[in-house]
């Protein structure tokens, strides 16, 4: 059975430290999934992998989300990996189909949910994100390693990995736009949530990648930072979300259930700028028991680059509190 602490998809530093020191096997595999967004608060000056070598949770491995990406799936750099790519990365990290895994990033909660989503896409179920990331781990005065991983993590065993589910593609979004009526069989139409900041969704600021500004018509805006609670003691002027943690379930219910009428069993699709922070919404919804989730890998980077995709610059009701 899934450990109670991991059931919600989010674990605390104190729990992880206890698990790692318990000596119980199978222990938890820990993976740093840091990815940097240029010209944003979520940047490691020397780069994510060098940041890992500077300091990481003892025994952790590093997963490069851009390196292990199916470049034929979309034009964006961090799609779901191919089964072959996943097998290579999983072997380097010592993962087996029954592994228990905790993923984190060097910011707090930014790119780690993307690896949580990726691992689940390949059938791993005992997966959780470290709440508050490496800053929370350090704040709790836990040990830090530097350099390459201290132990040989890789396994000599090779496993056949297949996707338990796939990501959405551009054609799925086109079909969703064409099927703009509620299904006749009484099923709910899938909601499409966009995790980008409100000004980018509204189209009131230029797109940072030089693309058209706005959003997919009919999509709803839930900025991923709305799911996070700032940790004042760890925040910096450069990154006010350093060490941020997930808001509690009541706050998530306000965002998803009360404001957007999303309930367990409802189908939801997720998008953002390039498929990264949409995974934070996926994790938030998972915590509420909403698991019929489709994540659009290409996201706005692919969608807005097409010459024929419709773009809207109006947003839903201004009194909705989920926007920034």
């Amino acid at each position: 059975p899934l450990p109670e602490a991991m059931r919600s998809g989010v674990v605390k530093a104190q729990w992880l430290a206890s698990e790692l020191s318990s000596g119980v096997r199978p222990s938890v595999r820990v993976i740093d999934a840091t990815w940097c967004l240029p010209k944003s608060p979520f940047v490691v000056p020397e780069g994510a992998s060098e940041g890992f070598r500077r300091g990481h949770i003892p025994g952790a491995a590093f997963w490069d989300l851009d390196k292990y990406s199916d470049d034929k799936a979309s034009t964006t750099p961090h799609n779901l990996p191919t089964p072959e790519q996943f097998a290579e990365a999983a072997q380097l990290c010592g993962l087996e189909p029954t592994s228990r895994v905790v993923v984190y990033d060097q910011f707090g909660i930014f790119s780690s949910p993307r690896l949580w989503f990726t691992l689940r896409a390949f059938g791993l179920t005992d997966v959780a994100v470290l709440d508050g990331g490496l800053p929370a781990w350090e704040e709790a005065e836990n040990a830090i390693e530097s350099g390459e991983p201290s132990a040989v993590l890789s396994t000599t065993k090779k496993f056949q990995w297949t996707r338990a589910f796939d990501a959405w593609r551009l054609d799925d979004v086109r079909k969703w736009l064409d099927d703009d009526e509620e299904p006749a069989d009484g099923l709910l139409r899938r909601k499409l949530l966009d995790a980008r900041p409100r000004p980018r969704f509204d189209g009131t600021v230029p797109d940072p990648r030089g693309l058209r500004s706005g959003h997919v018509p009919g999509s709803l805006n839930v900025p991923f930072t709305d799911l996070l609670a700032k940790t004042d003691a760890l925040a910096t002027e450069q990154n006010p979300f350093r060490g941020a943690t997930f808001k509690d379930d009541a706050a998530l219910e306000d965002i998803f259930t009360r404001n957007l009428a999303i309930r367990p069993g409802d189908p939801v699709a997720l998008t953002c700028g390039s498929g990264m922070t949409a995974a934070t919404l996926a994790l938030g919804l998972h915590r509420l028991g909403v698991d019929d989730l489709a994540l659009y890998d290409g996201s706005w980077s692919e969608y807005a680059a097409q010459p024929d995709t419709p773009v809207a610059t109006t947003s839903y009701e201004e009194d909705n509190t989920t926007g920034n």
Side-chain angles (χ1 to χ4, degrees), residues 77-157:
H78 32 259
N79 306 304
L80 279 181
T82 64
E84 295 74 21
Q85 289 173 326
F86 185 89
E88 178 186 338
Q91 189 173 5
L92 289 171
C93 294
L95 299 187
E96 303 182 1
T98 56
S99 292
R100 301 163 65 208
V101 189
V102 172
V103 298
Y104 73 92
D105 60 59
Q106 297 164 34
F107 305 113
I109 294 177
F110 178 61
S111 54
S112 49
R114 175 68 207 200
L115 183 55
W116 169 86
F117 170 81
T118 299
L119 296 176
R120 285 173 56 84
F122 279 88
L124 285 156
T125 55
D126 291 10
V127 186
V129 165
L130 179 60
D131 211 15
L134 188 62
W137 176 265
E138 291 183 288
E139 178 72 5
E141 299 184 349
N142 291 306
I144 292 288
E145 276 185 348
S146 60
E148 300 296 333
S150 60
V152 178
L153 295 171
S154 61
T155 173
T156 56
K157 298 178 183 177

Side-chain angles (χ1 to χ4, degrees), residues 114 168 172-173 176-177 189-198 200-202 214-227 252-264 266-286 288 290-300 303 316-317 320 322-323:
R114 175 68 207 200
W168 250 24
D172 294 305
V173 183
W176 182 83
L177 285 166
R189 184 185 185 223
R190 190 176 291 272
K191 286 185 172 71
L192 177 58
L193 307 185
D194 189 323
R196 293 177 299 154
R198 187 63 180 260
R200 285 173 60 188
F201 177 88
D202 286 346
H215 58 271
V216 178
S219 60
L220 307 173
N221 187 216
V222 184
F224 83 97
T225 52
D226 280 9
L227 276 58
L252 297 180
E253 286 174 358
D254 280 340
I255 293 170
F256 292 117
T257 307
R258 293 183 180 85
N259 290 347
L260 298 178
I262 296 172
R263 293 173 176 81
D266 288 359
V268 181
L270 305 163
T271 184
C272 56
S274 62
M276 185 64 63
T277 58
T280 300
L281 302 192
L283 180 50
L285 286 161
H286 168 76
L288 299 181
V290 180
D291 281 312
D292 185 355
L293 302 171
L295 193 153
Y296 175 26
D297 256 354
S299 283
W300 194 251
Y303 181 88
Y316 61 106
E317 287 78 13
N320 191 300
T322 63

